[in-house]
Amino acid sequence: EAGVAQSPRYKIIEKRQSVAFWCNPISGHATLYWYQQILGQGPKLLIQFQNNGVVDDSQLPKDRFSAERLKGVDSTLKIQPAKLEDSAVYLCASSLLNSGNTIYFGEGSWLTVV
Amino acid sequence: AQRVTQPEKLLSVFKGAPVELKCNYSYSGSPELFWYVQYSRQRLQLLLRHISRESIKGFTADLNKGETSFHLKKPFAQEEDSAMYYCASTPGGANNLFFGTGTRLTVIP
């Protein structure tokens, strides 16, 4: 079974530039998550989708971060403009629809803002 | 507010020694508790969850509601257990994860 796919794996940008990350969840997984993991911390949920609807985006900095999952499959996370403190690993994850299901993670997209 | 605390950032044990990684939680309601592991150069993956009450790779974890703890234990550590371990929880009925800050376990040969 193919896992959660993410790209790009690594990205270096200057502050105030924009960046976009792409995620393809495991086939059939209705729920998709974006987590931010800053060095030395545990992952923090940014946004959770169920199909193409947003379930929770309470911790998404909406002035600069946006995410979409238009067709209920792939998702894109965008940061514009980036700040130095956005340097982190951005993890995409997916799970089946019902609560209590295992959440599967991608390898992450490493962002460095200089 | 939901919170998961892992008091140890680093833990080193000798091969064959017992290991315990600590996790405490503070919640209202009935959270579900998990341990996730990240081996070197691999993705974050589920190790075990409290509702299944199973042992994975020799690891067990018991939910202690009185102490609000979910410590991860293994009686005899192996070198391949060296990894980053994260305790996590979901609020009852939801399916998103709140993570602790993680403990890096090093098993010394």
Side-chain angles (χ1 to χ4, degrees):
Chain A
E1 177 181 275
V4 177
Q6 292 188 244
S7 68
R9 290 295 315 280
Y10 305 94
K11 190 76 176 178
I12 301 174
I13 62 172
E14 294 182 349
K15 59 184 178 183
R16 292 187 289 275
Q17 286 187 323
S18 63
V19 62
F21 301 112
W22 173 83
C23 173
N24 182 237
I26 293 172
S27 178
H29 281 193
T31 308
L32 185 147
Y33 315 78
W34 283 102
Y35 284 83
Q36 179 193 56
Q37 185 173 18
I38 293 172
L39 186 65
Q41 300 181 21
K44 182 186 82 172
L45 180 69
L46 292 176
I47 188 167
Q48 178 184 349
F49 292 94
Q50 193 158 291
N51 297 308
N52 60 352
V54 175
V55 174
D56 183 354
D57 64 356
S58 57
Q59 298 200 81
L60 187 73
K62 299 180 185 63
D63 57 334
R64 298 182 300 104
F65 286 64
S66 64
E68 59 184 18
R69 193 185 184 199
L70 294 177
K71 297 183 179 179
V73 181
D74 294 6
S75 176
T76 302
L77 176 70
K78 295 179 181 178
I79 307 173
Q80 183 180 13
K83 292 185 175 181
L84 297 177
E85 58 262 36
D86 298 332
S87 295
V89 180
Y90 291 87
L91 297 168
C92 182
S94 70
S95 69
L96 292 168
L97 184 59
N98 298 320
S99 70
N101 283 297
T102 300
I103 297 176
Y104 295 87
F105 285 83
E107 293 179 300
S109 293
W110 294 67
L111 173 66
T112 301
V113 182
V114 297
Chain B
Q2 295 146 348
R3 181 177 295 175
V4 174
T5 304
Q6 293 180 253
E8 302 146 327
K9 279 198 172 294
L10 303 170
L11 181 64
S12 295
V13 300
F14 285 100
K15 177 181 174 182
V19 61
E20 181 180 68
L21 292 92
K22 293 183 169 54
C23 172
N24 290 91
Y25 66 93
S26 59
Y27 287 93
S28 57
S30 301
E32 291 186 45
L33 277 298
F34 306 81
W35 278 98
Y36 274 76
V37 61
Q38 189 167 27
Y39 300 103
S40 179
R41 300 190 193 88
Q42 295 187 27
R43 63 188 69 197
L44 196 60
Q45 58 187 286
L46 178 66
L47 180 62
L48 55 78
R49 57 200 303 169
H50 88 272
I51 59 172
S52 60
R53 301 183 66 82
E54 57 189 345
S55 173
I56 304 293
K57 299 184 179 182
F59 284 97
T60 58
D62 291 320
L63 182 63
N64 185 323
K65 292 185 178 180
E67 296 181 357
T68 60
S69 68
F70 189 56
H71 302 328
L72 183 68
K73 299 177 183 179
K74 185 169 183 177
F76 307 104
Q78 303 299 314
E79 290 180 62
E80 55 265 30
D81 296 329
S82 294
M84 194 75 182
Y85 291 81
Y86 293 95
C87 184
S89 73
T90 65
N95 206 44
N96 54 330
L97 289 167
F98 293 86
F99 285 88
T101 51
T103 298
R104 180 169 297 281
L105 173 66
T106 302
V107 180
I108 303 166

